[in-house]
Amino acid sequence: MNAIKVRGIQAAEAAAGATTASAEADALHALDRIDRAILRQLQTDASISNVALAAKVKLSAPACLRRVERLKESGLIRGVVALIDPKAAGAGMLVIIGVVLDRSTPESFAAFEKAAQKVAGCMECHVVTGEFDYFMTIRTRDSDSFNRLHAEQLLYLPGVRQIRSFMVLKEILSTTKFPL
Amino acid sequence: MNAIKVRGIQAAEAAAGATTASAEADALHALDRIDRAILRQLQTDASISNVALAAKVKLSAPACLRRVERLKESGLIRGVVALIDPKAAGAGMLVIIGVVLDRSTPESFAAFEKAAQKVAGCMECHVVTGEFDYFMTIRTRDSDSFNRLHAEQLLYLPGVRQIRSFMVLKEILSTTKFPL
DNA sequence: CTTGAAATACTACTACG
DNA sequence: CGTAGTAGTATTTCAAG
């Protein structure tokens, strides 16, 4: 059940950040069937041992390990993480909020973004087109705790003109798996 | 759902008088400092070896392994997965769409949910309160491919009255890490 | 109930064909 | 890419706090 060991993650991330868009597209295009099978498996369960993974993709263990390392160093695999069940962690409530800023200046956006990342339970924050400037998704315990967060933190984010909250009643789908 | 005890602290639960709280919340509160340190580490990088993890949390390897297994069996750790860099995988575009259905009937909702989960690149789909019935987030290659998806799939989802698209211009924050 | 030390089985990893 | 060998790890057993 041990995760596959990584060698030189720092270097891989640095390299990934420096790659160009065309290089990234090429990296994907260079994937064969086996690479895709590896990625599909690791996206589903990365706690599998390398020998078991090798057997699944019908490859010898060293060859499989080399491919996994290559995928990590190329930056295509951004990392291997444990996913925590929000309900079990006491954050069963999910809220999507749309934010409109007072002014559309670079300073205003920068100040908001800096502060938004520090909001407890903020899982996502994106600049969007349309009637909102930002969309954020926030995980919190219940409606009480969200109300507190809303009154004490969200309304005081810098430059906020309006916040519209969409409370999630049912999570139909929430995945990190990307179709290959 | 798994009602397996996370840590054998029946006495603590009784003393806390948290009998009215959910079993999941109790599971979280049974976590001590070491469990939280383990979860924080595994949320950041789960490819670390067990011996290295044990050293980080100042525990022997077997004891550390037992705690990790307990966290998995309790369901608090939902899984260990590899995260793929969307840009590198040729899906640099993220779109958030709000969906309004024709009618608010159980059949209408069920049909939509079933179909929505099959949309290629759909990462999230939630029922929400407010002016929309659903929010979905979709990863795709570029505006062309999204336009195709929009015209060929999204508009044909069952029972859809209106779809409003918010294209993500900049991803400020996108994390799976949950604050403990 | 949890921990840590020792022993075993298995795995990652290296070198080479 | 595969085989063989080495080094290191995960995992079990067991004794003790």
Side-chain angles (χ1 to χ4, degrees), chain B residues 4-173:
Chain B
I4 305 169
K5 62 198 168 192
V6 169
R7 306 208 59 194
I9 308 192
Q10 299 87 343
E13 285 182 9
T19 51
T20 55
S22 66
E24 289 105 357
D26 286 343
L28 177 69
H29 286 124
L31 299 178
D32 61 7
R33 201 167 291 264
I34 296 179
D35 282 322
R36 288 169 198 245
I38 290 174
L39 288 173
R40 272 193 296 271
Q41 170 61 42
L42 293 184
Q43 278 192 113
T44 303
D45 181 10
S47 66
I48 186 176
S49 74
N50 181 59
V51 288
L53 177 61
K56 276 206 174 191
V57 301
K58 303 188 207 316
L59 217 66
S60 71
C64 183
L65 191 60
R66 274 191 291 268
R67 290 173 96 113
V68 172
E69 281 183 354
R70 218 180 297 140
L71 290 168
K72 284 179 178 172
E73 282 167 16
S74 75
L76 218 150
I77 294 181
R78 195 174 39 152
V80 176
V81 301
L83 300 179
I84 295 205
D85 180 33
K87 271 188 197 165
M93 187 173 202
L94 181 64
V95 184
I96 300 172
I97 69 174
V99 178
V100 182
L101 295 189
D102 262 338
R103 292 168 300 172
S104 296
T105 65
E107 295 79 16
S108 182
F109 275 74
F112 175 82
E113 291 171 15
K114 187 178 176 185
Q117 297 187 53
K118 293 175 186 168
V119 173
C122 179
M123 307 303 287
E124 292 188 80
C125 180
H126 305 304
V127 179
V128 296
T129 64
E131 61 185 292
F132 295 106
D133 291 315
Y134 291 91
F135 264 120
M136 299 170 70
T137 65
I138 296 178
R139 285 211 171 274
T140 186
R141 186 189 187 89
D142 48 34
S143 58
D144 272 359
S145 64
F146 177 71
N147 190 43
R148 218 172 306 126
L149 186 77
H150 183 265
E152 296 172 4
Q153 286 195 60
L154 297 180
L155 291 178
Y156 292 106
L157 286 172
V160 168
R161 175 197 294 269
Q162 187 196 3
I163 289 183
R164 190 167 300 176
S165 302
F166 304 90
M167 276 177 289
V168 172
L169 300 177
K170 187 182 175 190
E171 299 188 30
I172 308 301
L173 176 69

